[in-house]
């Protein structure tokens, strides 16, 4: 079994699986249970200022979308930061950290964008002995209307300023949690770095309305006939999170800035993918909320045995390994030519590939009387749609044409690497020296 | 060669080799990758899952299925073996319809449980295909343990002890290890010599010296084992059989069903095995079903299974009764055998009708009927056969307290020879738990 011990910003945890700041980490009872179940660390549910805590709605907070068989794919919430007293939380954090010195305990904070507020809360947090803080600049609802959360996260200058205050009034690592509700994720990440933050974590939830009740004519979850946009998370948001993570990882200005990956992590594989794109660890919320704390066992065993198979002895061996392979579209090899191949042995003859290609793509699949489906190489542009819609994994695959072969669609021979920047159709093509 | 296909008497060659091979194929064939993915997707990952409670070895079923979902059948196998080192055999032979799968919440939702047994097989096959033993031994403790009986109980016990670093000597009276896995379980449940392969794989842990063909009571006594070893485990199963004491029961072609099955399990060529044209099996348990179904598969023209009480009192589960019926076995209930007749060999068996009174007592109605039978298989239960005057027996089984402790010092027992359901998985659980208790005793003194 590979060793999963992870060092993130000097904070050691027995594995890279942390619980994200959310209800699973809202109190001592939960966090103790989480640690007993094997979680490597937690980011405590976001704390607010001293004084009367925020209040949550008293009707439903969550909405969900499902795949087949009611598998939860996306979760939406209109919950706010912790609605428990600041000091209660601080005492609990201190107790838990003392009892679990080998686990990471990070405190998430969201207070108004004024230096005094941060100056007031940071020493209290420092006192708990927690390993670091995470600045919640991400909450898309409720708090942003009060000038906190994503209202700050959408203004890079504020991020930088608050990060600076935190570094000034707090001695341990500072992580800035980024909101995805922004056009270019590199900007807030750069601001965090400029402000001296030790790391960024992303993504927080995405603005969303999960569904509309067509009888009440109101968004769901519906509170007394009305609904509000909430924050979307769960397996459905993973692709968005991966892309944002990769942008930060490969951006020269933020390259090397430690990242804690969040968004839809449900199995070991999701975690490995985030880490391959440069994350030092991952945080999980929806998977735990859907299946309970025990899901971490599958993540631990899966990541560990995958590392064994690959010969990785430490998570550091593969963190960031896929970053160099993320490139801009214009650098992709246009001479990489593939054709779809349908395995007749595996085909169950549902015809979904045919419908997809015939109706919406390139008419590159033929169908015979006896429902045999075959690819017409002369028409196949290798778009992958048939692979994606086929219900049988591995039935349709993409086969690469070797160099020198003629692509029956274009009549051209497969040549050496060449991309759009030098392509004759590109008006801005860089001409080869004449 | 004469055509024996429809001949009376007990004859080989009733079916072609191909037909027999087709009859004896895997009862629950292995899942392919796609099937496994679809089957695994149905698991809800229930909290404090009822299937785990229903499994005598308490395998973490939701976790192993989730590991399959996550594309890691090897990890899943490991999760299973952690609790049940004979998880491969159990995946094949457990009556899951009365264990884990009966408890699956999908039964409530759609009367169709997650296929836990077949998923377990998928996972364990993956690990076993690796050909390396997945466990390593702890540092040697210098303690020596004798395990008597290399059936599921003894094997599970020996493996756990070896893992903890003890030196184990595993004795068995038979030529081959495996117990009823090797000699008893229906052939269509454990094809391709799986029982023997599983034992080889299990012994891969090291530290277990296997000695076959040596019988407790003949080669050595419990007292001698107590003297020679630091601890002793008895897992001898039920070596004796009950006999009804019927007139004619010693006639040729009347025999114990377990002997018939053992012969069948050990046959290299099933087509060469003789079987009756009209076979009557007496009994209503798992052994009766297995004998009846396999007689049918060998080509018997008619097979009836006759049980003295009503259907609901049968030891065979509903699933097994259906399995028998599907294979053309006719099930007759409320009939007790009174005699077997024949000139030289078995020809006929006579029954008397019975009824169960409101007090549960079985009485006969006096009405008799006879069945033509050129082969009668008796499956009315096995019993303990142990030659030790000192070990305490209660209700026909070795008396144990806690995790298999007998009345004798440093002697544990488990499996069919102790109280509890006579199932492979129960034997494994008892062997394992006794080993843990022995380990505690051996290391803590
Ligand atoms: C026909 C039949 C079909 C069955 N089918 C199923 C099934 O489908 N599913 C299921 O779960 N269970 C089934 N069972 C029950 C299951 O096989 C037993 O519960 C299980 O094998 C018990 O394991 P054990 O280790 O206690 O005993 P056994 O498997 O009986 O093993 C005992 C071992 O001890 C050895 N031994 C006995 N006496 C001595 C001695 N004096 N000295 C040395 N060695 C000795 C024997 O040779 C044997 O190898 C079936 C049983 C029978 C008879
Ligand atoms: C109910 C709920 C409450 C949340 N509360 C917070 C919070 O207080 N602070 C915070 O930083 N993120 C909060 N989040 C966002 C999560 O920490 C996480 O970033 C997001 O859910 C994406 O991860 P996931 O796909 O694993 O759920 C919350 C999420 C949910 C579902
Ligand atoms: S999970 Fe259900 S029972 Fe528990 S607080 Fe929420 S609504 Fe109530």
């Amino acid at each position: 079994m590979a060793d999963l011990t992870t060092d993130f910003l000097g904070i050691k945890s027995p594995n890279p699986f942390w619980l994200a700041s959310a209800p699973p980490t809202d109190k001592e009872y939960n966090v103790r249970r989480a640690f007993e179940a094997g979680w490597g660390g937690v980011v405590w549910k976001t704390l607010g200022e001293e004084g009367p805590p925020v209040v949550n709605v008293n009707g439903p907070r969550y909405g969900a979308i499902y795949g087949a068989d009611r598998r939860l794919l996306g979760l939406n919430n209109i919950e706010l930061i912790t609605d428990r007293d600041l000091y209660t939380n601080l005492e609990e954090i201190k107790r838990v950290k003392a009892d679990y010195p080998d686990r990471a305990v990070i405190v998430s904070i969201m207070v108004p964008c004024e230096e005094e507020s941060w100056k007031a809360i940071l020493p209290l947090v420092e006192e708990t002995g927690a390993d670091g803080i995470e600045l919640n600049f991400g909450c898309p609802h409720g708090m942003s209307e009060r000038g906190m959360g994503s209202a700050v996260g959408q203004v890079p200058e504020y991020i930088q300023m608050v990060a600076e205050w935190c570094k000034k009034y707090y001695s341990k690592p500072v992580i800035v949690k980024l909101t995805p509700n922004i056009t270019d994720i590199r900007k807030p990440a750069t601001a965090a770095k400029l402000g001296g933050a030790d790391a960024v974590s992303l993504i927080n939830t995405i603005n969303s309305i999960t569904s509309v009740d067509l009888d009440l004519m109101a968004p769901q979850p519906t509170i007394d006939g009305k609904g509000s946009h909430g924050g979307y998370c769960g397996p459905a948001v993973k692709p968005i999170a991966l892309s944002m993570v990769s942008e930060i990882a490969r951006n020269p200005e933020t390259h090397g800035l430690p990242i804690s990956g969040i968004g839809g992590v449900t199995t070991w594989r999701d975690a490995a993918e985030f880490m391959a794109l440069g994350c030092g660890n991952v945080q999980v919320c929806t998977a735990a909320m859907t299946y309970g704390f025990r899901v971490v066992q599958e993540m631990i065993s899966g990541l560990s045995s995958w590392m064994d198979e690959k010969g990785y002895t430490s998570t550091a061996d593969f963190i960031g390994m896929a970053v160099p392979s993320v490139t801009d579209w214009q650098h992709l090899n246009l001479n990489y030519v593939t054709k779809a191949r349908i395995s007749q042995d595996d085909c169950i003859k549902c015809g979904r590939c045919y419908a997809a290609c015939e109706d919406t793509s390139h008419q590159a699949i033929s169908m015979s009387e006896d429902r045999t489906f075959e690819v017409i190489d002369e028409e196949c542009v290798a778009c992958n749609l048939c692979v994606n819609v086929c219900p049988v994994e591995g039935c349709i695959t993409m086969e690469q044409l070797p160099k020198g072969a003629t692509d029956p669609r274009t009549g051209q021979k497969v040549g050496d690497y060449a991309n759009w920047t030098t392509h004759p159709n590109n008006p801005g093509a860089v001409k080869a020296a004449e | 060669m004469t055509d024996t296909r429809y001949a009376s008497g007990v004859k080989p060659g009733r079916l072609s080799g191909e037909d027999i091979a087709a009859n004896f194929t895997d009862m629950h064939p292995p899942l392919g990758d796609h099937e496994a993915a679809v089957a695994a997707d149905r698991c809800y990952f229930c909290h404090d899952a009822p299937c785990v409670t229903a499994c005598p070895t308490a395998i973490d079923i939701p976790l192993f299925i989730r590991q399959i979902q996550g594309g890691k059948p090897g990890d899943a196998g490991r999760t299973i073996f952690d609790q049940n080192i004979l998880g491969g055999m159990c995946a094949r032979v457990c009556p899951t319809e009365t264990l884990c799968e009966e408890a699956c919440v999908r039964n409530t939702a759609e009367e169709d449980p997650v296929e836990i047994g077949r998923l377990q097989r998928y996972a364990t096959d993956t690990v076993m295909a690796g050909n390396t033993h997945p466990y390593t031994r702890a540092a040697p403790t210098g303690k020596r343990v004798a395990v008597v009986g290399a059936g599921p109980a003894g094997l599970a016990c020996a493996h756990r002890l070896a893992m903890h670093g003890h030196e184990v000597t595993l004795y068995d009276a038979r030529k081959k290890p495996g117990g009823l896995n090797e000699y008893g379980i229906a052939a269509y449940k454990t094809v391709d010599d799986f029982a023997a392969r599983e034992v080889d794989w299990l012994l891969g842990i090291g530290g277990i010296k296997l000695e076959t063909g040596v019988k407790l009571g003949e080669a050595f006594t419990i007292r001698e084992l107590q003297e020679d070893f630091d601890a002793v485990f008895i897992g001898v199963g039920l070596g004796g059989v009950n006999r009804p004491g019927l007139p004619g029961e010693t006639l040729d072609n009347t025999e114990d069903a377990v002997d018939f099955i053992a012969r069948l399990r050990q046959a290299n060529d099933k087509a060469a095995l003789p079987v009756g044209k009209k076979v009557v099996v007496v009994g209503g348990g798992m052994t009766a079903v297995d004998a009846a179904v396999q007689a049918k598969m060998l080509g018997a023209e008619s097979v009836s299974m006759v049980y003295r009480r009503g259907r609901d009192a049968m030891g065979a589960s509903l699933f097994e009764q259906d399995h028998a019926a599907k294979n053309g076995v006719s099930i007759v209930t409320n009939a007790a055998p009174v005699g077997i007749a024949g000139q030289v060999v078995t020809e006929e068996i006579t029954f008397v009708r019975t009824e169960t009174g409101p007090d549960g007592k079985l009485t006969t109605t006096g009405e008799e009927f006879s069945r033509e039978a050129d082969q009668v298989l008796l499956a009315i239960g096995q019993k303990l056969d142990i030659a030790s005057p000192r070990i305490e027996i209660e209700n026909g089984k070795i008396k144990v307290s806690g995790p298999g402790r007998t009345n004798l010092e440093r002697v544990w027992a488990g499996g069919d020879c102790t109280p509890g359901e006579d199932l492979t998985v129960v034997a494994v659980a008892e062997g394992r738990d006794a080993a843990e208790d022995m380990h505690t005793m051996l290391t803590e003194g």
Side-chain angles (χ1 to χ4, degrees):
Chain A
M1 293 283 274
D3 178 13
L4 296 185
T5 308
T6 314
D7 184 331
F8 188 71
L9 316 176
I11 305 163
K12 290 227 170 49
S13 58
N15 61 57
F17 304 108
W18 291 7
L19 280 169
S21 173
T25 62
D26 198 7
K27 51 174 125 63
E28 179 174 1
Y29 176 83
N30 294 15
V31 173
R32 282 185 188 273
R33 282 169 62 87
F35 284 158
E36 290 308 315
W39 290 90
V42 299
V43 182
W44 204 275
K45 173 76 180 172
T46 306
L47 307 184
E49 277 193 299
E50 186 177 345
V54 302
V55 292
N56 272 300
V57 293
N58 296 300
R61 300 175 193 183
Y62 307 133
I65 64 152
Y66 301 98
D69 201 16
R70 246 179 107 80
R71 168 156 306 209
L72 190 145
L73 296 179
L75 186 71
N76 155 294
N77 82 86
I78 52 169
E79 181 177 289
L80 307 181
I81 62 172
T82 186
D83 52 15
R84 302 183 327 131
D85 177 67
L86 174 65
Y87 288 95
T88 308
N89 275 306
L90 291 170
E91 281 159 25
E92 291 183 3
I93 292 167
K94 188 172 182 175
R95 271 202 300 273
V96 171
K97 180 63 206 178
D99 285 352
Y100 292 92
D102 66 321
R103 311 298 171 95
V105 176
I106 308 295
V107 179
S108 171
I109 309 174
M110 183 195 284
V111 292
C113 209
E114 294 149 10
E115 187 165 358
E116 282 314 304
S117 300
W118 292 91
K119 194 177 167 184
I121 197 168
L122 288 168
L124 302 176
V125 172
E126 183 109 40
E127 229 278 293
T128 62
D131 302 293
I133 56 172
E134 185 180 82
L135 316 186
N136 180 356
F137 292 155
C139 229
H141 48 266
M143 304 311 290
S144 49
E145 289 88 329
R146 307 175 196 194
M148 292 183 262
S150 62
V152 179
Q154 286 162 343
V155 185
E157 293 75 18
Y158 291 173
I159 293 180
Q160 181 175 344
M161 183 174 74
V162 177
E164 281 166 1
W165 293 336
C166 290
K167 287 309 284 182
K168 190 157 125 197
Y169 298 115
Y170 184 71
S171 72
K172 288 182 179 171
V174 175
I175 305 167
V176 171
K177 184 167 180 176
L178 303 180
T179 174
N181 300 310
I182 187 163
T183 317
D184 185 349
I185 198 68
R186 292 171 299 185
K187 298 287 187 302
T190 307
K193 189 176 175 187
L194 290 176
D198 300 276
V200 289
S201 57
L202 69 159
I203 57 174
N204 208 313
T205 55
I206 305 174
N207 281 339
S208 66
I209 287 177
T210 30
S211 52
V212 175
D213 185 318
L214 291 179
D215 297 318
L216 294 175
M217 278 299 168
Q220 290 175 313
T222 312
I223 313 274
D224 194 22
K226 296 267 193 291
S228 168
H229 74 85
Y232 198 45
C233 52
V237 310
K238 184 184 113 181
I240 298 162
L242 283 179
S243 171
M244 290 186 163
V245 161
S246 76
E247 287 305 304
I248 295 170
R250 73 193 186 98
N251 174 23
E253 279 167 63
T254 46
H255 180 76
L257 178 66
I259 306 172
S260 181
I262 318 171
V265 175
T266 311
T267 71
W268 71 268
R269 182 181 292 275
D270 301 322
E273 291 174 14
F274 271 97
M275 293 167 81
L277 284 178
C279 296
N281 69 7
V282 292
Q283 297 183 29
V284 178
C285 169
T286 304
M289 290 181 69
T290 311
Y291 302 106
F293 287 145
R294 270 166 33 86
V295 276
V296 75
Q297 288 304 327
E298 183 274 345
M299 300 181 192
I300 291 170
S301 69
L303 187 67
S304 167
S305 73
W306 171 74
M307 284 169 61
D308 287 345
E309 282 159 30
K310 293 283 179 191
Y312 302 134
T313 53
S314 141
T315 52
D317 289 357
F318 68 91
I319 287 172
M321 238 172 130
V323 176
S325 312
V326 184
T327 183
D328 293 332
W329 186 92
Q330 59 183 352
H331 295 124
L332 297 176
N333 184 4
L334 294 172
N335 273 327
Y336 177 77
V337 183
T338 64
K339 298 286 170 187
R341 292 286 170 257
I342 301 172
S343 157
Q344 297 302 332
D345 287 345
D346 295 319
C347 176
I348 58 172
K349 302 194 187 296
C350 66
R352 279 171 63 167
C353 59
Y354 181 82
C357 192
E358 191 70 12
D359 287 357
T360 71
S361 298
H362 301 87
Q363 296 79 45
I365 293 178
S366 66
M367 174 178 177
S368 71
E369 292 258 294
D370 71 344
R371 299 183 70 83
T372 301
F373 299 93
E374 279 168 320
V375 174
I376 306 162
D377 285 358
E378 286 74 12
E379 305 297 336
C380 175
V381 303
C383 70
N384 214 38
L385 182 63
C386 53
V387 174
N388 299 139
V389 301
C390 178
V392 181
E393 194 183 338
C395 174
I396 310 183
T397 49
M398 283 292 166
E399 185 180 87
Q400 186 185 353
L401 296 189
K403 204 177 123 188
T406 303
D407 178 351
R409 183 175 68 90
T410 58
Q412 290 185 356
K413 278 199 173 9
V414 179
D416 291 322
Y417 171 89
N419 64 39
W420 174 247
T421 60
T422 54
H423 196 278
N425 290 13
N426 178 358
V430 196
K431 289 259 165 14
E434 272 148 63
Chain B
M1 214 174 107
T2 48
D3 185 350
T4 53
R5 281 180 295 172
Y6 310 108
S8 298
V10 178
K11 299 272 158 61
R14 294 190 183 276
L15 292 178
S16 70
E18 295 91 78
D19 285 346
I20 290 195
N23 285 348
F24 280 93
T25 49
D26 226 327
M27 182 179 182
H28 301 294
L31 293 170
D33 293 340
H34 174 70
E35 289 171 293
V38 173
D41 258 357
R42 295 186 65 234
C43 175
Y44 287 136
F45 201 71
C46 297
H47 175 70
D48 194 7
C51 52
V52 180
T53 313
C55 171
T57 52
I59 291 169
D60 192 340
I61 294 162
L63 176 60
F64 96 69
I65 295 181
R66 196 166 177 84
Q67 288 168 319
I68 294 176
Q69 284 174 8
K72 288 266 163 213
D75 292 0
R78 180 67 192 238
T79 299
I80 294 161
F81 290 131
D82 282 349
Q83 288 295 105
N84 179 338
I85 197 65
L86 293 172
M89 184 58 82
C90 287
R92 289 162 170 79
V93 309
C94 274
T96 51
E97 67 280 1
T98 57
L99 299 169
C100 52
E101 290 180 18
E102 182 178 52
C104 178
V105 301
R106 286 264 187 187
N107 284 313
T108 316
E110 58 236 31
E111 288 188 34
D112 189 16
V114 173
E115 287 188 280
I116 299 169
R118 290 179 84 198
L119 286 166
Q120 176 167 327
R121 168 147 180 203
Y122 179 74
T124 51
D125 279 357
T126 305
V127 173
M128 292 175 76
N131 271 328
T132 50
H133 190 82
Y135 295 93
T136 48
R137 297 184 64 199
T141 58
K143 302 284 182 188
R144 298 173 59 253
V145 183
V147 174
V148 186
L155 287 167
C157 180
H159 185 272
R160 191 52 71 101
L161 288 167
M163 228 171 83
H164 284 313
H166 309 298
E167 287 300 320
V168 181
T169 309
L170 178 58
Y171 297 105
D172 201 288
R174 297 246 203 188
K175 257 198 349 245
K176 292 191 201 168
L180 290 171
N181 286 357
E182 177 60 44
Y183 291 96
I185 299 288
Y188 49 80
K189 289 185 186 168
T190 163
V191 300
D192 299 331
D193 217 11
F194 180 76
R197 285 191 284 125
E198 183 179 49
V199 173
D200 283 348
W201 172 85
L202 179 147
L203 294 177
I205 179 90
I208 304 173
K209 193 166 107 207
L210 176 67
E211 291 194 23
T212 54
V214 284
K215 188 166 181 186
L216 171 71
E218 288 174 6
F220 45 77
T221 62
I222 296 183
R223 188 187 300 279
E224 282 163 1
L225 294 179
Q226 280 175 293
E227 281 159 12
D228 293 352
F229 292 89
D230 297 297
V232 179
F233 178 81
I234 309 283
V236 292
L238 300 173
V241 283
N242 293 322
R243 274 285 180 153
L246 299 175
E249 74 175 29
T250 55
L251 277 172
D252 272 4
N253 300 344
T254 289
E255 66 174 327
D256 294 317
V258 286
D259 292 338
F260 168 76
I261 292 170
R263 203 161 60 240
L264 190 143
R265 284 295 309 277
Q266 297 306 309
N268 289 324
D269 175 14
K270 291 193 186 70
L273 272 180
V275 69
K277 181 176 179 181
K278 296 186 187 319
V279 178
V280 173
V281 179
V282 179
M286 188 141 52
T287 305
V289 169
D290 285 1
V293 169
Q294 291 180 107
K296 192 75 192 149
M297 287 176 172
L298 286 176
E301 189 178 279
S302 76
V303 178
S304 356
M305 189 178 137
V306 186
Y307 179 52
R308 62 195 179 114
R309 291 179 182 270
R311 230 172 226 271
D312 41 348
M314 270 191 174
S317 67
L318 259 183
F319 173 84
E320 283 160 348
Q321 294 175 31
D322 283 353
H323 174 63
K326 247 187 254 164
N327 280 281
V329 172
S330 75
I331 298 177
V332 180
T333 53
N334 284 106
V338 288
I340 299 167
Q343 295 290 328
V344 192
V345 298
T346 302
E347 288 174 19
E348 189 184 79
I349 177 163
T350 302
F351 295 91
V352 63
R353 282 288 173 194
T354 64
E355 52 192 13
T356 312
D359 53 351
K361 255 191 95 169
L362 197 68
T363 52
T364 63
T365 64
E367 184 190 336
E368 291 196 353
F369 68 95
S370 297
R371 289 239 160 177
E372 237 185 283
D374 36 32
Q375 186 170 27
V376 169
L377 301 172
L378 300 170
I380 58 168
Q382 288 96 257
K383 62 179 183 198
L384 183 65
D385 169 27
I386 188 165
S388 164
R390 296 191 302 130
I391 201 156
E392 195 177 334
I393 312 284
E394 192 177 72
N395 297 325
K397 300 246 183 171
I398 297 175
K399 189 178 172 188
V400 289
S401 60
R405 296 180 194 172
T406 71
N407 63 311
L408 302 180
E409 201 189 335
R410 291 178 291 111
V411 179
W412 280 255
D416 283 2
C417 64
T418 58
E421 234 185 316
D422 293 343
L423 289 175
T424 309
V425 65
V426 173
V428 171
E430 291 173 357
R432 176 201 67 191
D433 294 347
E436 289 295 346
D437 195 43
M438 295 162 99
H439 172 63
T440 307
M441 188 282 286
L442 290 172
T443 47
E444 288 169 15

